[in-house]
Amino acid sequence: MELESNVETKLRERMSKGPLLTLRLDLINKCNLQCVMCHYSDPKIALRPTRKISTAQFDKWFNGIGHHVRDIMLSCGDEPLMSPHFIDILAKISDYGNSMDVGLCTNGMLMNAKIRSAMIQYGLTYSIFSIDGATKATMERIRVKSSYDRVLGNIKALKKLKEDSQSIYPKFVMDFVMMRSNIHEAETFVDICKKLGAELIDFRHVVPTSSWNDEDEKLENFPEVYNFHRNRILDRARKQQINVTLPSAFTHAR
């Protein structure tokens, strides 16, 4: 009990000096897409009963900790823009001041004019857009039920709104899940992201789920392919002067 008391005392002392907490939460347990490598490709998950956080529930919960939060991510594995309370919750967060970083990860399909305006108005700090392809065919094959033209159009519209509002926020981060069938488009993806105004591109390897585990898509099984394209991605990123995060090269040969 004494150790627990000491830990709690130190935590309270640290929190009194300024925001400390990082929060990640989903506002709803739904997604409008069924990406091939995602758990939402499983009908049992896609069709499960809807659960969502209301504005009142969020406010009651967040009220006790809001001033201790340093940054908050409004999505983990679901699509935050499906929440009917997204804008109201974003507005509630803004009531705690502009020192908090607020982000989300979205597929961009539902980012309509009203939502784009709210992102600017309520100071969303950054938005991660999951795209996974440089061409319409590849993106729409992987991100089932998506529209390449709609997603890119929505991002371009948000970019223009930022420029018209003279706002630097939200920052754009692009997410590309690397597979054997899309890695050849990664260099072109860098070019596209530069034009869209991205600050960072996050390249990551595909991760098996309970409903997906395709050995032919996992680049760990094709290290030479990954290493080849990795070097080309880095070269293109340097030329475009855009930051990327990219897993290390594989050191083993097949």
Side-chain angles (χ1 to χ4, degrees), residues 122-223:
Y122 298 119
L124 187 73
T125 313
Y126 63 95
S127 181
I128 303 172
F129 296 104
S130 297
I131 300 179
D132 304 334
T135 64
K136 179 180 177 70
T138 296
M139 177 189 164
E140 293 182 0
R141 174 183 57 78
I142 294 172
R143 305 189 66 75
V144 178
K145 297 187 178 181
S146 69
S147 166
Y148 180 85
D149 295 332
R150 182 173 178 180
V151 171
L152 265 62
N154 286 343
I155 296 172
K156 290 175 183 177
L158 180 58
K159 180 176 181 287
K160 185 178 187 304
L161 184 59
K162 283 175 57 179
E163 293 167 352
D164 292 345
S165 305
Q166 297 184 327
S167 174
I168 63 172
Y169 298 111
K171 302 287 189 180
F172 292 177
V173 178
M174 303 303 183
D175 192 13
F176 188 102
V177 176
M178 298 180 295
M179 294 179 275
R180 190 185 180 199
S181 65
N182 70 354
I183 189 66
H184 64 286
E185 294 188 0
E187 290 174 79
T188 304
F189 187 74
V190 173
D191 297 335
I192 292 172
C193 291
K194 180 68 175 182
K195 292 178 181 178
L196 291 174
E199 301 273 334
L200 172 69
I201 308 173
D202 183 14
F203 289 98
R204 60 182 66 192
H205 288 299
V206 68
V207 176
T209 67
S210 59
S211 56
W212 181 93
N213 188 14
D214 188 341
E215 295 295 332
D216 286 336
E217 286 282 31
K218 294 157 67 175
L219 286 165
E220 66 189 64
N221 295 327
F222 305 93

Side-chain angles (χ1 to χ4, degrees), residues 36-47:
V36 294
M37 67 292 194
C38 180
H39 54 280
Y40 275 104
S41 64
D42 183 346
K44 295 192 296 294
I45 294 176
L47 299 175

